């Protein structure tokens, strides 16, 4: 049984931990509001952009004259997985859920005889995948110094991916991220960006005539579509990370409070037992005299 000094030290230690988790919860709450606003503000543009691209893609189809980013290479043998996670931990299952989805996909592709290449965005994803898929790691994007992701960051990642596609390094590219639902609900998501796949269920709205041609406009917009999808994923990830961290720190704070209560009860009981033993010794000594 721990002595009073040990219990007192443990209570003080847990109280210090609770202060840290509470502070982290408050910081995550403030960051979540900004990240959630940014993610929600970007959704209407992404949806409208997807609608326009769906209409253009359906007009062009998979004809030989279509852009390569739309028609593909004619093969799916080499696949690039862009795994987007956080730079830091302490955010519950946010990172592990994304990595798990990517790991399952990679394992399945390898079992089918396909070759997998991995580009990681965020340190936690790279740390989790390098042991099992170290040979497949192609590149890494470090965003540890970035306080707020912007379109320029997504554009750099897109240029990296597009450059490798133009150099015939892969046939299919998919991104893995977490779509923000709520503080307690973040959905790990897989999205194919090359060759482009657009939701056929999207209402394309009005029908337009394009000049000079649908193929020419698509060739110009498809690289921007890749950057837009990556940017949307980064925004969703940022909101999901803060939501998961806020929830995790709230749970940690409550658990610390429960532990403090239990340790305090144990401390009081031990202290009472010690006082009782001292009284018994005093009374026994007085009776012996």
């Amino acid at each position: 049984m721990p002595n009073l000094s040990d219990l007192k030290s443990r209570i003080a230690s847990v109280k210090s931990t609770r202060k840290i988790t509470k502070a982290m919860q408050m910081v995550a709450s403030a960051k979540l509001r900004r990240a959630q606003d940014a993610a929600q503000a970007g959704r209407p543009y992404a949806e409208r952009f997807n609608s326009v691209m769906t209409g253009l893609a359906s007009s062009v189809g998979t004809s030989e004259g279509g852009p390569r980013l739309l028609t593909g290479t004619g093969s799916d043998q080499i696949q690039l997985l862009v795994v987007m996670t956080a730079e830091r931990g302490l955010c519950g299952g946010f990172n592990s859920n994304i990595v798990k989805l990517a790991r399952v996909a990679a394992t399945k592709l390898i079992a089918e005889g396909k070759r997998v290449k991995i580009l990681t965005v965020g340190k936690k994803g790279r740390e989790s995948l390098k042991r099992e898929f170290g040979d497949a790691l192609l590149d890494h994007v470090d965003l540890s110094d970035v306080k707020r992701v912007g379109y320029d960051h997504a554009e750099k990642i897109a240029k990296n991916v597009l450059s490798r596609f133009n150099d015939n390094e892969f046939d299919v590219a998919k991104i893995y991220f977490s779509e923000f639902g709520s503080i307690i609900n973040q959905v790990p998501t897989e999205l194919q960006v090359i060759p482009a796949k657009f939701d056929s269920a999207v209402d394309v709205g009005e029908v337009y005539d394009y000049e000079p041609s649908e193929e020419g406009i698509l060739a110009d917009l498809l690289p921007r579509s890749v950057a837009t999808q990556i940017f949307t994923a980064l925004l969703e990830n940022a909101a999901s990370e803060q939501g998961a961290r806020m929830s995790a720190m709230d749970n940690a704070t409550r658990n610390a409070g429960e532990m403090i209560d239990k340790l305090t009860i144990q401390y009081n009981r031990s202290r009472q037992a010690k006082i009782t033993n001292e009284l018994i010794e005093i009374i026994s000594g007085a009776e012996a005299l």
Side-chain angles (χ1 to χ4, degrees), residues 231-244:
F231 182 47
T232 300
L234 287 174
L235 293 178
E236 294 287 340
N237 251 16
S240 295
E241 178 190 351
Q242 299 306 330

Side-chain angles (χ1 to χ4, degrees), residues 24-223:
M24 292 183 67
Q25 178 189 349
M26 295 175 66
V27 171
S29 177
K31 289 183 176 180
L32 172 62
R33 173 59 58 187
R34 295 195 298 269
Q36 185 176 355
D37 289 344
Q40 290 176 343
R43 286 175 182 173
Y45 172 80
E47 290 171 0
R48 186 58 183 164
F49 190 91
N50 184 44
S51 175
V52 173
M53 295 298 291
T54 300
L56 282 168
S58 62
S59 298
V60 174
T62 57
S63 61
E64 294 183 0
R68 192 162 170 262
L69 284 172
L70 179 64
T71 60
T73 63
S75 172
D76 62 351
Q77 190 62 30
I78 305 176
Q79 302 212 10
L80 175 67
L81 311 185
V82 182
V83 184
M84 308 166 73
T85 58
E87 295 288 347
R88 290 171 287 276
L90 297 177
C91 48
F94 168 74
N95 292 310
S96 59
N97 289 337
I98 297 173
V99 170
K100 180 181 179 181
L101 181 64
R103 182 182 288 115
V104 169
T107 303
K108 181 179 178 182
L109 289 170
I110 292 172
E112 293 173 355
K114 296 179 173 60
R115 185 181 175 190
V116 170
K117 296 183 178 181
I118 299 175
L119 187 154
T120 53
V121 180
K123 183 174 69 175
K124 289 301 177 179
R126 185 174 184 83
E127 289 178 350
S128 300
L129 292 169
K130 67 180 180 181
R131 179 177 301 176
E132 187 175 355
F133 300 101
D135 294 338
L137 292 177
L138 187 66
D139 199 358
H140 175 68
V141 178
D142 185 0
L143 298 178
S144 56
D145 295 330
V146 177
K147 293 184 178 180
R148 183 181 294 185
V149 293
Y151 185 78
D152 55 329
H153 302 110
E155 201 169 28
K156 289 179 181 177
I157 298 171
K159 286 180 178 178
N160 186 345
V161 173
L162 291 169
S163 174
R164 296 180 184 279
F165 180 69
N166 292 331
D167 292 339
N168 298 314
E169 293 188 25
F170 63 87
D171 302 308
V172 177
K174 299 175 182 176
I175 59 176
Y176 294 83
F177 62 99
S178 186
E179 184 176 352
F180 179 77
S182 66
I183 294 175
I184 59 173
N185 181 32
Q186 301 89 34
V187 184
T189 304
E190 175 190 87
L191 179 64
Q192 181 174 311
V193 293
I194 300 176
K197 290 181 67 176
F198 300 104
D199 188 358
S200 59
V202 171
D203 182 12
V204 298
E206 299 88 347
V207 178
Y208 298 97
D209 290 330
Y210 296 94
E211 292 292 342
S213 66
E214 286 91 343
E215 291 84 353
I217 295 173
L218 266 178
D220 182 62
L221 288 183
L222 281 170

